[in-house]
Amino acid sequence: MQKTAGIFLLMVLPFLLADCRRPGPVGIDVTELTIAKIHLAYQEGRYSCAQLVQAYIERIKQYDHAINAITMINLRAVEVARDLDREFKKTGQLRPLHGIPMIVKDNFATKGLPTTGGSLALRDFVPQVDAFMVARLKQAGAVIIAKSNMAEWAFSPMHTESSTAGTTRNPYNPEYVPAGSSGGTAAAIAANFGVIGLGTDTGNSIRGPSSHTALVGFRPTLGLVSRHGIIPLYLRNDVGGPMCRSVEDAVRVLEVIAVYDPNDAITSYSLDRIPRNYTQFLDRNGLKGARIGVLRQLSEVDPDAEVKALFEKAVIDLRNQGAEIVDPFHVPDFKRLSENQWCDDFRKDIEMFLAEFVKLDRLKTLEDVIRVGSNSRYAAESLDYFAAHSGRPEHPEIECGDAYTDIRRIAFRQAIEQRMDELQLDAVIYPTWNNRPAPIDGFQAGYKGDNNQVIAPHTGQPAFTVPMGFSRGNLPAGLQFLGRLFAEPTLIKLAYAYEQATAHRTVPAGLP
């Protein structure tokens, strides 16, 4: 543990705005680079890892003051990149993510870097170890160039506001939210501040921000990836996953992080269920012959007319690519099964994290966190709520468990998967959000249409969001694919084929 507030402030400084496509060192244009393009450039000697990392850091310095996505720049990033350059020169071999600039959400324990969860209570917390997922990605060659802002303690799906860094804006239209809680990662990757991003998703927080910023976001099957070392919200629901500009890049991240971790018991369910690799499922023709159900029980819940039109066009696009569309896909007793799924486990989970990772006598309980305080009214009110509430709000006698042991969660998943089996469906689709992003100044009143909270967090099923176009104001929308447990290979095929056929992802037009 060490005091880092002064260093933290020096790392995050405002910079003057420059032209959106201004090249970095040695003429590197970092916009929309992919892992494959970067590795080809390394192999051809067009630039080094250190030069690329410096180019991304310069881009952050040029633009971040307009969207406030980054909490700190890693001062050792270029040094790490130089080590990777020396390794490549010596071996001639690239690791799976060799020299790939990465943005990490500020709730992943990151060795030697502040990990605050957006809170005042953890503003001086510098972990001595990496979260399991961060360690895996670093071993694969990824370079952490920055940590990203988040909704404090990951409480808000609506917006991204923290006590440590303030409010993050949507790079496509800064008057609107990037959703939460992983809005900093989303805004950063959308603005080309890095190549791959890490987010967490308790109910919405990978898929919502990704859909709001024209990104691909993977919420993996609960149990496919380890959460060890991530500041929890509800560990029974929490997952970490990739937020990227392309399905292929997200798949390359998933390949690295999908592995058993003895420190996270839920990953034992993934044993013998992880394929040799996931890139084999990147099939441009993956929609041909696929059977896809349209979940009108979500898509028709008070949708925005423009988002609805984008969704109906997506259904047509899927059909045009050879998919058989089952419309509507109806789950019997859907509303009742979806109710009373949440359990308020924040106190238990955060106190366990404080004991294992933070280890401070003055910071052991939720009450200790509350005493430190918050600059966010929303976060402060949430902390007070969790101090007074725990367990299942309705029928508290029903035990709160994970997706493999909780009887309500199992019943909900079985109803969905049984109906999918009856109709021989490969996946189910619906808009990631039925409504457009909300204005920054009216995020609570504008919080409508969040479909992410309803199924996957509770059933444990994988759910991927892919860009499906833009509404007025240059505001992105996302299409969500839901699959069976551990059906990532199927979702990859479908999402990749849709992405390649439609190419909805575009660069933010400009940052005011």
Side-chain angles (χ1 to χ4, degrees), residues 121 153 346-348 350-351 354 361-373 383-389:
W153 297 112
F346 180 69
R347 173 189 288 277
K348 176 190 70 176
I350 195 60
E351 290 180 355
L354 295 174
D361 289 340
R362 61 177 173 79
L363 197 65
K364 290 184 174 182
T365 68
L366 178 56
E367 283 71 24
D368 292 335
V369 171
I370 292 172
R371 275 195 294 274
V372 176
L383 288 168
D384 288 341
Y385 171 85
F386 289 123
H389 297 84

Side-chain angles (χ1 to χ4, degrees), residues 233-254:
L233 176 49
Y234 295 156
L235 195 58
R236 67 193 291 271
N237 284 22
D238 293 345
V239 299
M243 301 171 70
C244 299
R245 291 185 295 272
S246 71
V247 172
E248 180 176 344
D249 282 357
V251 169
R252 291 181 182 275
V253 173
L254 185 66

Side-chain angles (χ1 to χ4, degrees), residues 179-197:
S181 62
S182 308
T185 298
I189 298 300
N192 288 279
F193 292 170
V195 180
I196 58 178

